[in-house]
Structures are given as structure tokens and as C-alpha cells.
Amino acid sequence: MATIGVLGASGYTGRLVVRALAARGIAFVAAGRDRGRVEEAVAGIAPAPQVRVIDVHDRPVLDDLCDELDVLITTVGPFQELGRPVLEAAVTRGCHYVDSTGEQGFIRWAYGLDARARERGVCALPACGYDYVPGDLLASIAADAVEVPREVHVAYAVKGVGSLLTVASKGTRRTLASMLGEDGVAYVDGELRRERMASTRRLAWFPKPVGPAHAASFPGGEPLMVPRHHPGVSTVRTYLQLPSMLAEGAQFLATVTRWDPAAAGLRKLITLGPEGPSRERGSAVRWACVAEVEAADGTLSRAWANATDVYGLTAEFLVSAAVALGDGGALTTGVVSPAQALDPAAWLDQLADGTDLRWSVKRPA
């Protein structure tokens, strides 16, 4: 059996990953910066996991960790700040890699290591969580349902217990704070173009119980991912369900945070709060994703998914991907998107068997 390691095991998402591995009876190595916190996170798991103390800026120690692993799962962010040495170590030492980033800038940088990873026989899978596994898998399925896919629009919605920010973990809030004032990119007319937050709006046809809703563009992973497995598409954008008033507010906020004092003040505000939502609070949050693909002949296909508990599902995505990579189930090597790494429909079916995730596709008549 493959040896799997979890870096960031004492964080909010890392603890969920630890539980998911233990529930499958999979032995693993738990790593983090604080031995006491890591030991507390894995207390009660039998057999007791090995514990490693890791500082991501200590490259020799990172190299040693990757040398003893077949697959490394990392949840340590913000990834733009803390993730680069980890991925570089995994690629250099020939260790398969899975992470939970939602940062478009890091994903874009990570794809630059694709050739090196292929040379080393490594499959590295960044952004393997709620953002953006569902969107990339559904986009691939919907694009395969038409003859010549041209435009791909992927939208996410989060419903229940206030807003996404109120149920975000401290790590997610810290990442959002680090991204303030930055433009993202969309894939338009066959190239990446810089775009402001919420600069494009559309009506997204989410599955029930969410239903159709207004959505505004944001810098997601799909504009970087989808053209890798469907290079013929001309446009790819990611959206987040937002009422028009909130979309206007998001656009205003993106402008204001270009002023450093405003960005600094908002960063402090965003990072306040608990480590993450309770299991009950997290389970009360329902999310949905829809990928809409328009073909060259005007036909349209859609693929949907919905479930509850974005963080619990992120842990399931990370663990299921790590197990598949460790078992030699990756479809390719390199730094790849979810739909390149594993069969999209089979992966969604696997998650549907073990969680409340449900998905479907509507092909052109």
C-alpha cells in the first residue's frame, strides 16, 4: 500500500483529511509545524500515525519527508506564500502531490512545473477541493457531450447559515485576505486575460434545491484547467452566485482594496474568527455547481452537482485523489487538472457512493 503524508494535519482542513484517512483504515504520516498540535490532531487514531515536524521553509526537511512518501497531501496555505517550496520538493523527489489551494495565482505558477513533473514521473494535482474539482470535472463531462465545445461557464453557489465567508475556515479567510486587491484572469478568445472581480454577470442554472440564480465572475481555477483537457475551447470563466447588489459591492471592494491601507484593514477584519465551522454548521451548508457548455453549432449542454459540507467534501476529494495516485490510477503525469488526473464521471460516481453528492448531465436533444 502507498505511503501517504498529510502536511498541515493540525489545521482545520488537515484534521478533516486525517479523519477521512482514518475512516478508510489507511495508515499515514502526519506532519506540521507544531508537534503538540499535530499529536493532538491524531490522538485516538489506531494504529498511531507517525508524526513529523515540518517547516515549509526548511527544504532539506521537506525533501526527507517526500523521500519517505508515495503521495503528499498538503493543506498549508496561503499557497502563494507557503506552497511553492512544498510542490517543488515533491516534484524534485518524485513524490505524487495533492493540495487544497483555491488560489488562481498559485495554480497558474504550479502548471509551470508540468514538464519537470513529467520527467520525474510525478502526478501533481493542485486545487483538489471543493474549489475547483466539481467545476473542472463537470466542465469536462459537459464539453464531451457536444461536438465542438466553444464556451464554458462554471458557476458555484453556497446556501445556508449565512454566506460562504461566515462558514469559512481561518485558513480560507487568511487566503482570501492575501488575495485582496489582485486581479484574476479569465480565458477569452483563446488566451488568458486579466479581469476585475464581478466584471461579468450571467444567470446560472443551478440544480435544485438552489435553482437559477444570478452569478458574478471571479478568478477561479477553471479558466486555467479546462483548456488543458479541451484545448479547442475559446472562452472559460468561473462565477459565484451573488445577487446583483452584492456583485456591485464585490466590484467596489476589488477597487477599494487596491489602496494598501484599505486592504490591510480588511485583511485584519477577515482573519478574525474561529478556526472553522462546527460539524453541524458545516453540514447545514448546501453547495451547488453547474458547468454550461455552448458548442460551435449553438447547442448547449449542462452538468450539475450538489451536496452539503464544503470542507468535508474537500477532505474526501483530497483523500480519494491521493489513494488513486498512490495506487497508480492517475491517467497521466505532470502538474494536471482534476479532469486530466482521473476519469471525471467515475470520480464523481465514487464520491456519490460515499457522500451525499449528486450529479447529472443534460446533453443536447
Side-chain angles (χ1 to χ4, degrees):
M1 181 176 290
T3 303
I4 296 175
V6 182
L7 182 58
S10 63
Y12 183 80
T13 302
R15 289 172 184 250
L16 294 175
V17 171
V18 163
R19 290 178 199 160
L21 286 165
R24 286 170 165 81
I26 298 172
F28 60 93
V29 176
R33 189 172 53 181
D34 185 314
R35 176 178 290 275
R37 290 195 63 197
V38 174
E39 289 177 342
E40 186 270 329
V42 300
I45 295 176
Q50 300 178 52
V51 172
R52 298 285 183 273
V53 178
I54 302 289
D55 183 331
V56 298
H57 299 298
D58 189 337
R59 180 58 184 269
V61 175
L62 268 178
D63 286 348
D64 288 344
L65 176 67
C66 291
D67 282 342
E68 67 177 291
L69 301 177
D70 297 301
V71 188
L72 174 63
I73 302 173
T74 175
T75 63
V76 178
F79 283 82
Q80 283 277 63
E81 177 186 346
L82 303 173
R84 297 189 181 198
V86 182
L87 178 53
E88 286 179 332
V91 168
T92 301
R93 310 307 288 191
C95 175
H96 297 310
Y97 169 99
V98 185
D99 77 36
S100 61
T101 188
E103 300 163 50
Q104 191 186 65
F106 178 80
I107 301 167
R108 191 174 181 183
W109 171 84
Y111 286 152
L113 298 181
D114 180 50
R116 283 175 56 189
R118 281 187 278 112
E119 289 173 1
R120 295 289 294 151
V122 168
C123 181
L125 182 49
C128 188
Y130 159 73
D131 44 0
Y132 305 95
V133 173
D136 189 51
L137 299 184
L138 295 171
S140 178
I141 291 168
D144 285 343
V146 298
E147 288 293 328
V148 184
R150 282 288 180 258
E151 293 196 10
V152 179
H153 301 276
V154 178
Y156 292 84
V158 180
K159 295 285 188 179
V161 198
S163 66
L164 177 60
L165 194 58
T166 65
V167 294
S169 71
K170 181 170 287 188
T172 298
R173 297 195 304 273
R174 191 180 296 120
T175 294
L176 291 172
S178 72
M179 296 167 63
L180 289 174
E182 296 182 2
D183 285 340
V185 295
Y187 192 74
V188 182
D189 294 333
E191 62 182 19
L192 292 174
R193 294 186 184 177
R194 301 193 74 83
E195 282 195 353
R196 305 289 294 277
M197 174 77 172
S199 61
T200 302
R201 321 280 175 83
R202 72 183 279 112
L203 181 65
W205 293 84
F206 294 107
K208 294 180 179 180
V210 177
H214 292 284
S217 59
F218 80 100
E222 288 83 4
L224 306 174
M225 296 172 171
V226 175
R228 297 175 69 83
H229 48 80
H230 283 82
V233 299
S234 61
T235 298
V236 185
R237 281 192 173 94
T238 308
Y239 304 80
L240 183 64
Q241 183 271 322
L242 284 176
S244 296
M245 184 177 296
L246 288 181
E248 293 292 339
Q251 198 165 15
F252 173 74
L253 191 63
T255 301
V256 168
T257 51
R258 289 175 176 273
W259 183 47
D260 288 343
L266 192 57
R267 286 190 187 101
K268 290 182 179 178
L269 182 63
I270 288 175
T271 53
L272 296 175
E275 191 72 24
S278 65
R279 291 292 289 274
E280 294 75 16
R281 190 176 177 87
S283 297
V285 175
R286 175 163 290 279
W287 66 266
C289 180
V290 58
E292 301 177 276
V293 176
E294 183 176 337
D297 60 4
T299 56
L300 185 72
S301 64
R302 292 191 181 100
W304 301 269
N306 69 81
T308 57
D309 191 1
V310 294
Y311 287 104
L313 192 69
T314 289
E316 294 296 331
F317 276 126
L318 289 165
V319 170
S320 60
V323 170
L325 267 54
D327 289 345
L331 298 176
T332 186
T333 57
V335 184
V336 297
S337 81
Q340 289 178 291
L342 299 170
D343 179 82
W347 196 1
L348 289 171
D349 283 342
Q350 178 191 347
L351 266 294
D353 285 342
T355 70
D356 66 349
L357 182 145
R358 297 294 177 265
W359 74 278
S360 63
V361 57
K362 182 179 181 181
R363 297 173 172 83

